[in-house]
Amino acid sequence: MPPEGKRILSGMQPTGRLHLGNLVGALENWVELQNSGYENFHMVADWHSLTIDYKSSDNLEDASFQVVTDWLAAGIDPEKSVIFTQSQIKEHAELNLLFSMLITVPRLERNPTLKDRVRDADIDENLSFGHLGYPVLQAADILIYRANLVPVGEDQLPHIEITREIARKFNSTYGELFPIPEGKLTKFGRLPGLDNKKMSKTLGNTILMSDDSETLAIKIKGMITDPEKIYRNSLGHPDICPVFAYHNKFNESEVPEIRAGCESGALGCADCKQNLTSKLNDYLDPIREKRAELESKPDSVRDIINEGNIKAKKEVSETMSLVYEAMKFGKPSIS
Ligand code: TRP
């Protein structure tokens, strides 16, 4: 059954040019879901990037531009998806405030994503109020569009759970207004970084969607492989090798052959990497081409964002009137 009138909302922080982890973990899913019959909204979460590092604001505008350019290059189609910027739609902050009453501090402190971030960034004692409230703002982002489905990476599921709790709390207190949204993961889980850790900009282990073929070849040459496969004919363990994980994603048809060759010692890492480089080039070439075209007319990207902001604004005004009505604030006296 087509999900008539149902909505998707998702977002990413403006981290600048996106990497393959972003592509495989979320963006590909967004592109595919554009043809699912849902209405699509995709947001650059620029306020969210400040919750983690308030100093990171130098570069927000360009980083947002780069992110949207990569979305478009990967196939997000502005005819099918509303692309907008969180900071332009101030109502998100208004709903964030109202939602902040509907959840307790201990509940937010139990958020496992927060625990991971605090550990990674070593900010134990210096957790900001905004950072603690990260999932509340995310709940506002999602529910202000009354979205039903939220395609995200695995690390975001705890935030979707908090969104559901806030929606239920609002509905049971002030009246049914919000759908209870669901998270949707990609089929292919997580792509490791060059060093086999989680791919992340801060760890410096990424392959960018926009890397050219020379950069790609150098990065793949330097990738970690099975540490026991010292010689070309050593017996390898593909399941612990990040290069093999990439073959799984980008070269599915040759996977049985590569597994057998690696395990028996017939296939060496250098050849295996060269093969991957060529498959990845095939995969990335159309994306690179589209990106180059968009870069040659940056105003067209800005226009797409502006139009998206206008559409988003219209949607949130409607939701906020319903919220004000449900909460009995009375009609706005100035407009
Ligand atoms: N927290 C998300 C991330 O870091 C970004 C985000 C902000 C988001 N608001 C959202 C994702 C709403 C989905 C829905 O990736």
Side-chain angles (χ1 to χ4, degrees):
M1 220 173 41
E4 197 66 45
K6 294 215 170 173
R7 285 214 173 134
I8 283 176
L9 178 125
S10 195
M12 279 186 204
Q13 290 186 30
T15 48
R17 288 170 181 256
L18 297 178
H19 56 61
L20 296 187
N22 303 126
L23 177 67
V24 170
L27 188 49
E28 273 192 346
N29 208 10
W30 298 5
V31 172
E32 212 179 294
L33 286 164
Q34 287 185 123
N35 300 318
S36 61
Y38 283 84
E39 258 184 278
N40 297 272
F41 289 80
H42 293 299
M43 177 189 82
V44 180
D46 52 356
W47 280 339
H48 270 115
S49 63
L50 296 177
T51 64
I52 295 166
D53 178 10
Y54 64 92
K55 296 191 281 323
S56 74
S57 109
D58 296 359
N59 203 13
L60 275 180
E61 196 175 355
D62 183 59
S64 300
F65 177 86
Q66 298 301 341
V67 165
V68 173
T69 306
D70 278 332
W71 291 358
L72 296 167
I76 296 292
D77 176 353
E79 299 289 321
K80 295 180 184 159
S81 293
V82 177
I83 297 173
F84 68 97
T85 313
Q86 184 183 39
S87 61
Q88 294 293 320
I89 316 295
K90 317 264 188 256
E91 288 82 349
H92 288 227
E94 202 176 351
L95 193 57
N96 171 58
L97 174 89
L98 297 173
F99 281 175
S100 71
M101 327 291 175
L102 304 182
I103 187 151
T104 66
V105 170
R107 174 66 183 93
L108 291 172
E109 284 170 341
R110 281 201 306 275
N111 166 21
T113 311
L114 177 77
K115 287 190 179 156
D116 289 349
R117 285 224 171 97
V118 166
R119 193 195 49 229
D120 291 350
D122 209 10
I123 47 174
D124 220 355
E125 295 300 316
N126 297 311
L127 177 67
S128 73
F129 178 46
H131 194 168
L132 180 68
Y134 187 111
V136 184
L137 179 58
Q138 186 159 346
D141 297 335
I142 296 167
L143 295 173
I144 206 164
Y145 298 93
R146 286 170 276 163
N148 309 85
L149 200 67
V150 190
V152 280
E154 205 179 7
D155 60 321
Q156 294 298 309
L157 290 181
H159 296 162
I160 312 297
E161 194 44 49
I162 291 174
T163 302
R164 292 161 61 85
E165 287 171 29
I166 290 177
R168 285 196 204 98
K169 186 83 169 263
F170 185 101
N171 290 349
S172 64
T173 311
Y174 305 114
E176 287 292 319
L177 175 54
F178 295 113
I180 309 301
E182 301 204 7
K184 185 166 170 54
L185 297 178
T186 41
K187 286 182 285 262
F188 190 86
R190 185 182 275 183
L191 200 65
L194 301 171
D195 54 1
N196 210 13
K197 299 198 182 110
K198 181 189 173 188
M199 192 183 286
S200 111
K201 196 181 169 192
T202 35
L203 294 177
N205 61 1
T206 62
I207 295 176
L208 299 181
M209 285 168 57
S210 52
D211 277 341
D212 59 28
S213 54
E214 291 90 77
T215 312
L216 182 71
I218 294 168
K219 285 186 174 176
I220 292 181
K221 266 198 191 132
M223 269 177 91
I224 279 182
T225 56
D226 169 11
E228 286 183 28
K229 198 165 164 66
I230 302 166
Y231 305 108
R232 184 187 192 287
N233 55 1
S234 308
L235 312 187
H237 307 89
D239 293 318
I240 60 162
C241 176
V243 177
F244 186 71
Y246 282 55
H247 279 294
N248 253 325
K249 166 65 195 166
F250 298 104
N251 185 20
E252 219 184 325
S253 65
E254 290 179 24
V255 159
E257 209 179 314
I258 292 169
R259 173 185 289 285
C262 175
E263 286 176 345
S264 72
L267 175 65
C269 294
D271 290 343
C272 183
K273 285 177 166 181
Q274 212 161 42
N275 183 12
L276 175 65
T277 307
S278 121
K279 298 298 179 326
L280 256 177
N281 273 327
D282 294 345
Y283 191 89
L284 292 176
D285 274 343
I287 298 178
R288 290 170 177 148
E289 249 166 63
K290 182 81 207 274
R291 193 180 219 283
E293 186 193 320
L294 292 161
E295 278 170 351
S296 72
K297 32 178 194 173
D299 281 343
S300 71
V301 177
R302 288 187 200 106
D303 288 346
I304 288 168
I305 303 174
N306 288 341
E307 277 167 36
N309 287 342
I310 292 168
K311 288 186 195 150
K313 184 83 186 170
K314 188 172 156 283
E315 294 304 329
V316 302
S317 310
E318 241 174 78
T319 305
M320 288 315 289
S321 321
L322 294 170
V323 167
Y324 273 58
E325 210 175 292
M327 295 182 76
K328 315 261 188 317
F329 280 116
K331 295 231 176 311
S333 65
I334 41 172
S335 50

